[in-house]
Amino acid sequence: DAGVIQSPRHEVTEMGQEVTLRCKPISGHNSLFWYRQTMMRGLELLIYFNNNVPIDDSGMPEDRFSAKMPNASFSTLKIQPSEPRDSAVYFCASSFIEGGNEQFFGPGTRLTVL
Amino acid sequence: DAKTTQPPSMDCAEGRAANLPCNHSTISGNEYVYWYRQIHSQGPQYIIHGLKNNETNEMASLIITEDRKSSTLILPHATLRDTAVYYCIVRVATGTYKYIFGTGTRLKVLA
């Protein structure tokens, strides 16, 4: 199994640009999570989906952030417009609801907004 | 806010057991204790979880006190590759699937 796949691994962009982060969960998993990690705030849950449906987006910082899961094998996290304070590592994780609920994390996308 | 309290850092000699404590005094009856670790800047890695009985797998053992207000993760023979930040999390196993990560314990295994 390839595990959770995230792309790109690194993204450098300028303030005001749109950024799209992508995630492919582990095949067969039916929950998907987006996290953000910074030195100041640690690891924060942004949003999660069960069976492709957004369940809790209370962690999404503001309207500039949006996430979609059009099917069971793909999700995106979009930031528009991006700001320097969005610089962070963004992790995607997936799990199987009916299992032990342990989450499997991807390698992360390191985003730098100049 | 995280419902757990962990020491910010610990050292352990290579080959010795690493015992990482976690306090979760407000844990509810249906909440499990999960442990994850994050090596350098990689994504967190699941280690083990339990409800009230002690658990063991190929990576570690989890000891939960009888009142369930605290637990200890034991790495029986720590290696340099076990150097990481270890997170203790409590959550229900069904319904809400959210994890709230605290600041964790930074374990440094010394040669």
Side-chain angles (χ1 to χ4, degrees), chain A residues 37-90:
Chain A
Q37 187 170 36
T38 62
M39 289 292 291
M40 290 295 295
R41 300 178 64 88
L43 198 58
E44 304 173 281
L45 177 65
L46 300 178
I47 184 171
Y48 77 93
F49 298 81
N50 284 346
N51 297 310
N52 311 338
V53 176
I55 301 300
D56 187 340
D57 65 355
S58 60
M60 297 285 262
E62 42 195 280
D63 292 344
R64 299 184 296 106
F65 286 69
S66 62
K68 294 182 179 179
M69 191 165 188
N71 57 62
S73 59
F74 184 66
S75 177
T76 60
L77 178 67
K78 184 177 294 186
I79 308 172
Q80 166 64 18
S82 58
E83 297 183 3
R85 59 190 168 129
D86 301 330
S87 296
V89 181
Y90 291 81

Side-chain angles (χ1 to χ4, degrees), chain B residues 3-19:
Chain B
K3 298 179 64 174
T4 61
T5 303
Q6 300 177 252
S9 64
M10 292 181 63
D11 290 342
C12 176
E14 187 178 21
R16 304 297 294 270
N19 298 287

